[in-house]
Amino acid sequence: SSMSSTELSNLIDDAQRYLEQQKDLFGNVSYLDHSKKKTMSPQKVSTTVYPDESWVSTKSLDEMEKHICTCLKCPLGHTRLNFVFGVGNPRSKVMFIGEAPGAEEDAQGKPFVGRAGQLLNKIIEAVEMKREDVYICNILKCRPPNNREPLPSEMEHCTPYLSRQIELVKPQFIICLGRTAAQWLLKTHESLNALRGKVYEYQSTKLIVTYHPAALLRNPNWKRPVWEDMKMFKKFYDEINS
Ligand code: URA
């Protein structure tokens, strides 16, 4: 069906507002994928901000990844080497959520494959699970330059992807790694030490918070609290699954 002039005018207003907001947030960087324009005839120049919304109705993690791995919704899409979607059992009862890919993750396109990842593997094994049995991803799918902390605007753009991953995996438990991810998901500014040791709800899923493995590499004093958090997790997990 064709569009009324009011609908068209509203659409143009929306697009204009969106682009102005992007400019406020990120400065004078273009969010349109100009590489695509070269292959299009002038009459068909697309104003789509990638990706289009078709990923929303995808029915599997693999299918979803294919739709969003070219994302350019925020500037990190222009500096990443690889989009880091997530790995593991697509029907896992446990989902680990980190902050953002680092250099090694960016290079390999997989989450937690660097030094922090090796420690995460040990943390998973400490509760008699295996890396392949759980699902692992991050709030941000692209690496922030120089591993700086994710910006709220970047997390805002990326969180719909995480939400859909949670919907598709349907884990019983989310284990949130580190302050940045925890404060973002729980919409709080409380310290990590104040947040840990409790069970929260996020998207109707039990969520537990613990220190980030990278923080443990810097401060081994946090190994004991992480062990306690994982034991608490395992107790609840066993109660539900035995
Ligand atoms: N740190 C994170 O938060 N995520 C990774 O994937 C690697 C390091």
Side-chain angles (χ1 to χ4, degrees):
S1 66
S2 70
M3 218 180 238
S4 75
S5 60
T6 316
E7 282 170 327
L8 184 60
S9 152
N10 285 342
L11 192 64
I12 291 168
D13 283 353
D14 284 348
Q16 202 147 24
R17 257 199 305 280
Y18 178 79
L19 289 170
E20 267 158 22
Q21 190 189 36
Q22 294 287 306
K23 195 173 155 190
D24 287 345
L25 288 168
F26 306 120
N28 257 329
V29 188
S30 169
Y31 290 86
L32 305 181
D33 186 358
H34 296 296
S35 64
K36 283 277 195 283
K37 280 188 187 171
K38 293 179 198 129
T39 61
M40 288 177 177
S41 61
Q43 307 92 288
K44 285 201 285 182
V45 168
S46 169
T47 52
T48 308
V49 178
Y50 288 88
D52 62 29
E53 291 298 302
S54 61
W55 68 270
V56 173
S57 52
T58 54
K59 293 289 181 285
S60 74
L61 292 166
D62 287 345
E63 200 196 340
M64 178 186 166
E65 181 178 2
K66 287 198 191 90
H67 277 72
I68 66 169
C69 66
T70 55
C71 182
L72 291 174
K73 285 206 277 186
C74 87
L76 301 183
H78 296 273
T79 52
R80 70 167 174 247
L81 293 174
N82 283 291
F83 188 86
V84 182
F85 180 74
V87 294
N89 178 353
R91 281 178 296 278
S92 179
K93 294 183 164 111
V94 192
M95 185 185 243
F96 287 85
I97 303 177
E99 180 175 315
E104 195 57 36
E105 290 75 22
D106 187 35
Q108 293 190 35
K110 291 191 177 74
F112 285 99
V113 289
R115 271 210 330 139
Q118 287 174 9
L119 190 47
L120 177 60
N121 293 349
K122 288 189 186 165
I123 293 168
I124 295 167
E125 283 159 20
V127 287
E128 286 137 15
M129 293 183 174
K130 292 197 210 97
R131 184 181 165 102
E132 310 81 73
D133 299 335
V134 303
Y135 191 81
I136 304 173
C137 63
N138 288 299
I139 308 256
L140 292 192
K141 310 311 188 203
C142 299
R143 181 194 182 199
N146 307 314
N147 300 343
R148 65 156 170 73
E149 265 188 33
L151 300 173
S153 54
E154 292 160 354
M155 295 193 282
E156 194 78 59
H157 278 112
C158 227
T159 301
Y161 299 152
L162 176 68
S163 290
R164 184 66 181 145
Q165 284 174 301
I166 296 169
E167 277 180 7
L168 289 169
V169 176
K170 301 185 189 71
Q172 287 174 343
F173 293 89
I174 289 169
I175 300 176
C176 186
L177 301 169
R179 180 181 57 85
T180 310
Q183 290 182 341
W184 176 254
L185 294 181
L186 297 173
K187 294 279 169 269
T188 173
H189 291 102
E190 286 197 76
S191 71
L192 191 119
N193 189 48
L195 292 172
R196 56 173 291 270
K198 300 178 193 128
V199 182
Y200 302 86
E201 285 242 324
Y202 183 77
Q203 284 188 213
S204 314
T205 308
K206 291 180 182 60
L207 182 146
I208 288 163
V209 171
T210 197
Y211 289 102
H212 195 290
L216 251 63
L217 291 170
R218 292 191 297 270
N219 187 348
N221 290 336
W222 287 331
K223 286 189 179 178
R224 178 171 293 276
V226 169
W227 170 236
E228 284 164 5
D229 294 335
M230 293 304 288
K231 272 197 302 189
M232 179 187 76
F233 151 69
K234 193 62 176 358
K235 182 174 84 75
F236 285 111
Y237 176 92
D238 286 341
E239 271 173 25
I240 294 178
N241 294 291
S242 61

